Amino acid sequence: MTELTPDGLVPQIAVVGLHGHGASHVRRVLELQRAGRVRLAAVVDPREPGPGHEAHAAGAPWFPTLGDLLSAPSARVDVVVLSTPIPTHLPLARAAMEAGIDVLLEKPTTASLAEHTELVAVAERTGRRCQVGFQTFGSHALPAAADLLARGEIGDVVGFGAVGTWVRTESYWRRAAWAGRRRLDGRDVVDGVVTNPLAHAVATTLRLGGATTAQDVTWVDTDLYRANPIEADDTSSVRVQDADGRRYGFGLTLCAADRSPARVVVHGTRGELVLEYEHDRLLVRTDVAQTAKTYGRTSLLDDLLAARTDRSRAMLCDVRDTGAFMRVLEAVRTSADPAPIPAEQVEWRGEGHDRRPVVRDVEHWCAEVARTQQTFTELGAPWTT
């Protein structure tokens, strides 16, 4: 299906931020362009794309800043995709929406809850669409999981949790000046395990529990640690309670021995539901049976394009629906600096840019946080004493 703008033309899309994850957005837009559904109207980045970049091969006009694009007399853009450093999310999204452009904004939404509130106000004032890039919200496994919970498949829900045991090497923390920082040049960054690489675990679990807005969260406890020589957290536990009294426990690390699939875990009186959201895989274990199914996924860019043609259609990840996640980010932002994990609890592996820390038995403790909705400190994890 071809999505047309009111003037009968295919939507013109600009991608802002071309290096790193931004390259995948360029590829997706070019796929849609080959299908005749959109046109890559421009690319924006301080570094001009070289001959090896997809944007260069596509011949799309290049602009060093979004301001340069918006002030270009011949530019016509309907949608911008923003894949830029966290502190730039609010100013760039605001500039685009005030110029009459709809936005697909990479997660995390903004660098603070106050900025999120301002961004929501801009969307409401301008009437523009702002979709946030929590890709898991497009997973068909998510509504399927919600339906199973509503039908009592695992009995009464006891608690929600998420486990993320990933691996990041030293090169990850060198990817940009803001990597692993809490603040940079006087601005909030909040680039830690809870708020960026495993932000999907937090946002997806809250969404499954019905918490989407900031008002849906009553309190957040953070317990933040770091094994790497960085400002931000790389091994953390977070406990949340929502307005209906439901409790959530997040055990997250980038210092595991091996990477395992990140998963949302819902504990019930008759079993548990596990959503491996990276693979759209849903497992249900009860006292009588075990089932597993893999689902499809809707692209958030496709969903935004569809919502532009039907203004009454709700988007999968409207900026307003990321308020609950932003309450967690705000708690991390305003918490004390992460505590260093004692050297005796850390094993270093690899060399050079591949060097990385492994926190002893961290997988067990992350799973316990999700199971009990208690923090590392409350559980007595050895690096907390």
Side-chain angles (χ1 to χ4, degrees), residues 2-39:
T2 300
E3 293 86 359
L4 298 179
T5 60
D7 56 9
L9 301 175
V10 295
Q12 309 291 295
I13 301 180
V15 178
V16 183
L18 305 180
H19 305 282
H21 187 57
S24 65
H25 286 295
V26 173
R27 288 192 291 271
R28 178 56 184 158
V29 173
L30 290 176
E31 289 175 4
L32 294 175
Q33 179 171 281
R34 287 190 289 271
R37 296 176 57 189
V38 305
R39 175 176 172 268

Side-chain angles (χ1 to χ4, degrees), residues 27-356:
R27 288 192 291 271
R28 178 56 184 158
V29 173
L30 290 176
E31 289 175 4
L32 294 175
Q33 179 171 281
R34 287 190 289 271
R37 296 176 57 189
V38 305
R39 175 176 172 268
L40 181 62
V43 294
V44 178
D45 197 282
R47 290 180 289 165
E48 185 174 3
H53 200 286
E54 294 93 338
H56 182 276
W62 164 75
F63 297 87
T65 71
L66 180 60
D68 292 321
L69 170 61
L70 297 179
S71 61
S74 59
R76 183 178 79 83
V77 176
D78 301 301
V79 175
V80 295
V81 179
L82 298 176
S83 184
T84 60
I86 300 167
T88 69
H89 286 190
L90 172 62
L92 293 181
R94 178 175 56 207
M97 287 191 285
E98 289 179 343
I101 300 170
D102 293 320
V103 174
L104 174 58
L105 175 64
E106 262 305 330
K107 58 80 184 165
T109 315
T110 57
S112 71
L113 184 59
E115 287 190 352
H116 176 265
T117 300
E118 182 176 348
L119 187 58
V120 169
V122 173
E124 292 177 347
R125 171 168 53 82
T126 62
R128 304 320 306 175
R129 295 299 188 107
C130 183
Q131 176 108 285
V132 180
F134 284 109
Q135 300 101 320
T136 52
F137 284 27
S139 174
H140 304 166
L142 192 54
D147 180 62
L148 289 171
L149 295 180
R151 286 163 32 198
E153 195 72 18
I154 61 171
D156 296 329
V157 173
V158 176
F160 293 83
V163 180
T165 51
W166 282 7
V167 171
R168 288 292 186 269
T169 63
E170 184 178 317
S171 61
Y172 177 80
W173 306 110
R174 294 175 177 266
R175 74 192 190 278
W178 51 269
R181 301 294 295 269
R182 285 170 67 82
R183 292 180 64 80
L184 180 65
D185 298 331
R187 299 194 63 184
D188 292 313
V189 176
V190 206
D191 181 41
V193 61
V194 176
T195 54
N196 198 1
L198 280 161
H200 285 93
V202 177
T204 306
T205 308
L206 291 170
R207 175 72 170 253
L208 185 57
T212 57
T213 70
Q215 293 72 32
D216 290 333
V217 173
T218 55
W219 50 260
V220 182
D221 289 332
T222 61
D223 196 24
L224 312 179
Y225 299 87
R226 59 173 180 81
N228 286 280
I230 57 175
E231 288 181 358
D233 56 310
D234 57 35
T235 300
S236 294
S237 57
V238 176
R239 179 174 54 197
V240 174
Q241 181 168 303
D242 68 19
D244 292 324
R246 289 180 290 255
R247 297 179 69 176
Y248 306 75
F250 305 103
L252 311 171
T253 186
L254 302 176
C255 304
D258 299 290
R259 173 171 172 152
S260 62
R263 59 194 186 274
V264 174
V265 184
V266 186
H267 302 280
T269 54
R270 293 198 301 108
E272 70 175 8
L273 177 149
V274 179
L275 170 59
E276 295 180 351
Y277 63 77
E278 296 173 84
H279 308 294
D280 304 309
R281 178 176 167 81
L282 188 59
L283 301 93
V284 179
R285 305 185 184 102
T286 68
D287 46 9
V288 295
Q290 178 172 313
T291 61
K293 183 177 180 181
T294 300
Y295 293 78
R297 181 179 291 201
T298 298
S299 157
L300 295 183
L301 178 56
D302 289 39
D303 182 66
L304 172 58
L305 293 171
R308 294 184 75 251
T309 64
D310 179 3
R311 303 303 291 188
S312 65
R313 172 178 171 149
M315 293 188 300
L316 289 169
C317 192
D318 190 290
V319 64
R320 299 165 184 82
D321 295 331
T322 63
F325 167 79
M326 289 303 302
R327 279 291 305 275
V328 175
L329 182 146
E330 185 71 4
V332 172
R333 184 185 75 85
T334 58
S335 71
D337 289 344
I341 295 177
E344 63 269 19
Q345 297 296 330
V346 180
E347 174 192 349
W348 286 89
R349 299 181 182 179
E351 301 292 337
H353 292 332
D354 291 329
R355 192 166 184 260
R356 64 183 179 90

